């Protein structure tokens, strides 16, 4: 009973030492941003591995590729061609039109015709570039506040994982991203409007969805280089361009549009050819299995709009991360699990040999698999929780405990050996004493026998 109690005290003592130390080190690494690439990798994997989403029938994309540019004979397209394109789309009665093409300067022929189309198409939204090398919006659209930002935010590894809900301009005012603006216009026509849910936490309610901005404590966005300005959300991608109905610009210009193809839909117009350099790396690009095709900016805007529409109407969840304290508690929990679980496994009969290697690997793999599966299921439910930070804490604690357990076993073995040697020494001492006593008794008996012999001889002589 005392031995078991002593073992339990030794175990919990080692756990209580290892858990806070390992947790502190992992949190420090996380705060410096050294783990963010690993967390991004887990995010990318979850995006690629989840079940394929159906095509969003609320959105259509008018694509512009090399064939379309060859058809019109020049790029940028003249204002007259753009006017014809927009007139043919407008005739389909879409819910809103997003023109992801810069048109801050006239490009004859046909400029006045294009200005008239801009002025007579109230559901048309143009773009401007806000960050970096700014590009002004079309003046005819800017005067009616029918302009959105074309900006996409990339992470340090060049991938787009965040959607721009709104971005600040030089004058301090916010402007919506293109996907956000079209989604809000679509929902407003269905009596779903954006409301402030918590002004202090900058959260907003839109139908059944709640918008939580990406902040430096979310999903690896930590460290001095974390760009989380404006109002950004984690992009819950629907998929690549095949998850949206598309039609070429050439077909639209020649009016080869299926009946009602664009009716009541959000229509995005943009380039998909790499030569125009409006393409981005996304979670669908996996360097381990070769680079897949980069995603055009217009498809990213369509994905953001699809995410907002689906969340507001209750079809798909928004993605959100945990706060700083919850992340720290999560890391500490898995550090504890690694330490306690590692000790428990090493105490079983399965690991009598090669304790440090086999026992530790089994602990990390078995418990780490549960962590990964749980994080993936949480992702499907809309929660982005750290994966590699707690996994690192789990592994480090398991290794710490395995090393301590190995030393503890050696200590026990030496203790048993010392006890055995002590018992042998006591037995040897007793044996020596017994030998001396036996020798004395033999000598005494010999003297007695000699004395009896002498007395017997004397008696015979007498």
């Amino acid at each position: 009973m005392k031995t078991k109690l002593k073992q339990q005290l030794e175990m919990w003592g080692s756990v209580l030492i290892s858990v806070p130390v390992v947790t502190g080190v992992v949190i420090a690494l996380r705060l410096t941003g050294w783990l963010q690439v690993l967390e991004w990798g887990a995010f990318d994997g979850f995006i690629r591995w989840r079940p394929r989403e159906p095509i969003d029938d609320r959105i259509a994309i008018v694509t512009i590729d090399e064939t379309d540019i060859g058809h019109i004979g020049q790029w940028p397209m003249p204002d007259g061609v753009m006017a014809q394109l927009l007139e043919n789309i407008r005739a389909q009665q879409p819910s809103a039109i997003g023109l992801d093409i810069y048109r801050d300067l006239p490009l004859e022929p046909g400029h006045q015709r294009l200005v008239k189309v801009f002025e007579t198409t109230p559901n048309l939204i143009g773009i401007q570039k806000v960050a970096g090398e700014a590009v002004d919006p079309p003046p005819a659209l800017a005067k009616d506040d029918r302009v959105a930002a074309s900006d996409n935010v990339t992470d340090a590894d060049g991938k787009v994982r965040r959607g721009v809900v709104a971005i600040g301009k030089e004058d301090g005012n916010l402007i919506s991203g293109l996907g956000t603006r079209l989604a809000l216009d679509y929902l407003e026509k269905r009596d779903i409007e954006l409301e402030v849910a918590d002004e202090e936490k900058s959260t907003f309610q839109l139908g059944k969805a709640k918008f939580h901005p990406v902040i430096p404590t979310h999903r690896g966005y930590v460290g001095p280089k974390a760009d989380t300005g404006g109002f950004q959300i984690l992009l819950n991608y629907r998929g690549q361009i095949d998850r949206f109905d598309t039609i070429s610009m050439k077909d639209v210009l020649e009016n080869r549009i299926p009946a009602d193809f664009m009716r009541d839909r959000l229509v995005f117009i943009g380039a998909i050819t790499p030569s125009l350099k409006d393409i981005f790396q996304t979670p669908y690009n996996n360097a381990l299995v070769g680079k897949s095709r980069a995603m055009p900016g217009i498809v990213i805007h369509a994905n953001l709009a699809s995410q907002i529409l689906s969340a507001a109407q209750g079809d798909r969840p928004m993605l959100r991360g945990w706060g700083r304290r919850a992340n720290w508690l999560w890391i500490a929990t898995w550090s504890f699990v690694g330490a306690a679980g590692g000790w428990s496994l090493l105490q079983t009969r399965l690991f009598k040999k090669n304790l440090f290697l086999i026992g530790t690997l089994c602990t990390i793999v078995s418990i780490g698999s549960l962590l990964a599966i749980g994080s993936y299921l949480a992702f499907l439910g809309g929660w982005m929780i750290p994966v590699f930070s707690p996994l690192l804490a789990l592994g480090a604690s398991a290794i710490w405990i395995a090393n301590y357990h190995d030393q503890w076993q050696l200590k026990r073995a030496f203790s048993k050996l010392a006890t055995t040697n002590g018992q042998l020494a006591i037995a040897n001492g007793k044996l020596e004493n017994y030998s001396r006593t036996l020798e004395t008794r033999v000598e005494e008996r010999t003297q007695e026998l000699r004395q009896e012999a002498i007395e017997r001889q004397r008696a015979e002589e007498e």
Side-chain angles (χ1 to χ4, degrees):
M1 184 67 181
K2 290 183 178 180
T3 303
K4 282 189 174 183
L5 180 60
K6 184 178 179 182
Q7 290 181 5
Q8 290 295 321
L9 290 175
E10 289 178 336
M11 168 198 165
W12 289 112
S14 61
V15 169
L16 293 176
I17 293 173
S18 65
V19 169
V21 173
V22 170
T23 300
V25 171
V26 173
I27 289 175
L29 290 174
R30 180 177 171 82
L31 291 176
T32 59
W34 288 5
L35 300 179
Q36 63 185 4
V37 174
L38 297 176
E39 296 293 356
W40 289 339
F43 177 88
D44 296 349
F46 289 168
I47 289 287
R48 293 192 300 268
W49 299 334
R50 68 181 176 184
R52 199 178 190 192
E53 297 285 347
I55 293 175
D56 194 333
D57 58 7
R58 297 163 299 193
I59 295 174
I61 302 177
V62 177
T63 62
I64 303 172
D65 60 14
E66 295 296 338
T67 302
D68 299 304
I69 295 174
H71 174 69
I72 61 177
Q74 69 178 86
W75 190 263
M77 74 175 75
D79 287 350
V81 175
M82 182 177 287
Q84 183 65 54
L85 178 70
L86 293 173
E87 286 171 352
N88 291 353
I89 293 173
R90 183 176 61 184
Q92 286 264 317
Q93 298 181 352
S95 179
I97 306 170
L99 181 62
D100 190 24
I101 301 173
Y102 296 118
R103 194 44 53 104
D104 54 323
L105 298 172
L107 190 59
E108 298 291 357
H111 178 63
Q112 291 304 318
R113 180 185 176 188
L114 179 60
V115 170
K116 184 177 180 180
V117 171
F118 283 166
E119 293 175 343
T120 58
T121 311
N123 61 346
L124 172 63
I125 305 298
I127 59 167
Q128 72 175 95
K129 183 78 166 57
V130 177
E133 297 181 4
V135 179
D136 292 333
L141 296 177
K143 68 180 183 180
D144 293 330
D145 194 25
R146 289 186 284 127
V147 178
S150 64
D151 301 75
N152 283 304
V153 180
T154 58
D155 290 328
D157 61 352
K159 292 186 178 181
V160 177
R161 300 182 180 90
R162 292 168 283 162
V164 176
V165 175
I167 189 171
K169 298 191 296 183
E170 289 185 354
D171 59 7
N173 295 321
L174 289 175
I175 180 174
S176 299
L178 181 60
T180 303
R181 176 63 184 269
L182 262 66
L184 293 178
D185 287 353
Y186 181 95
L187 293 170
E188 186 178 358
K189 295 174 181 178
R190 289 154 181 80
D191 297 324
I192 300 176
E193 296 185 0
L194 191 66
E195 300 175 354
V196 177
D198 190 329
E199 187 173 356
E200 183 178 347
K201 295 182 179 180
S202 298
T203 58
F204 296 87
Q205 189 77 35
L206 181 65
K208 298 180 181 179
K210 184 172 286 188
F211 286 72
H212 298 268
V214 174
I215 57 177
T217 59
H218 286 178
R219 194 63 187 180
Y221 292 103
V222 294
K225 295 183 180 181
D227 175 18
T228 53
F231 195 103
Q232 304 168 20
I233 59 174
L234 291 170
L235 260 174
N236 190 9
Y237 282 93
R238 177 173 288 272
Q240 302 194 66
I241 195 169
D242 61 346
R243 296 298 87 200
F244 303 95
D245 288 327
T246 62
I247 186 170
S248 70
M249 182 179 70
K250 179 181 177 182
D251 287 342
V252 175
L253 287 173
E254 295 181 352
N255 217 12
R256 294 198 299 265
I257 310 173
D260 296 330
F261 180 77
M262 301 177 183
R263 184 179 296 276
D264 294 328
R265 281 181 158 188
L266 296 180
V267 178
F268 288 86
I269 309 168
I272 63 170
T273 178
S275 65
L276 297 182
K277 299 181 180 180
D278 187 24
I279 58 173
F280 300 86
Q281 298 291 311
T282 67
Y284 294 101
N285 299 103
N286 186 1
L288 296 179
V289 296
K291 290 187 177 180
S292 60
R293 188 175 179 182
M295 183 176 291
I298 192 64
V299 180
I300 294 176
H301 293 309
N303 266 283
L304 179 57
S306 175
Q307 173 181 348
I308 294 173
L309 295 179
S310 297
Q313 295 177 337
D315 300 329
R316 296 175 70 223
M318 298 288 286
L319 291 180
R320 61 172 302 191
W322 278 351
R324 177 173 295 171
R325 293 181 181 178
N327 286 333
W328 291 358
L329 180 60
W330 183 244
I331 293 170
T333 299
W334 286 99
S335 177
F336 174 82
V337 170
W343 184 281
S344 300
L345 283 177
L346 291 172
Q347 286 292 89
T348 64
R349 295 182 178 181
L350 297 175
F351 307 112
K352 289 300 181 182
K353 296 181 180 180
N354 298 325
L355 294 178
F356 186 86
L357 179 60
I358 299 177
T360 304
L361 288 178
C362 287
T363 300
I364 296 173
V365 172
S366 59
I367 303 178
S369 297
L370 295 177
L371 167 61
I373 293 171
S375 298
Y376 175 69
L377 294 176
F379 167 78
L380 295 180
W383 284 98
M384 290 304 307
I385 59 179
V387 177
F388 277 96
S389 300
L391 185 60
L392 178 60
L394 168 71
S397 292
I399 292 172
W400 179 311
I401 287 298
N403 184 53
Y404 178 85
H405 187 274
D406 202 33
Q407 295 179 0
W408 177 70
Q409 290 283 64
L410 289 174
K411 182 180 178 181
R412 287 185 61 194
F414 282 127
S415 178
K416 288 182 180 179
L417 182 61
T419 301
T420 302
N421 289 338
Q423 292 174 346
L424 288 175
I426 294 172
N428 287 335
K430 290 181 179 180
L431 183 60
E432 288 179 3
N433 291 334
Y434 180 75
S435 297
R436 294 192 191 98
T437 302
L438 180 61
E439 185 178 348
T440 302
R441 289 180 179 178
V442 170
E443 188 175 345
E444 291 176 353
R445 183 59 179 164
T446 301
Q447 291 296 332
E448 289 177 358
L449 291 175
R450 288 176 180 175
Q451 186 63 34
E452 289 178 358
I454 292 171
E455 292 176 358
R456 190 180 303 111
Q457 185 177 1
R458 288 177 181 174
E460 290 176 355
E461 291 176 354
E462 291 177 356

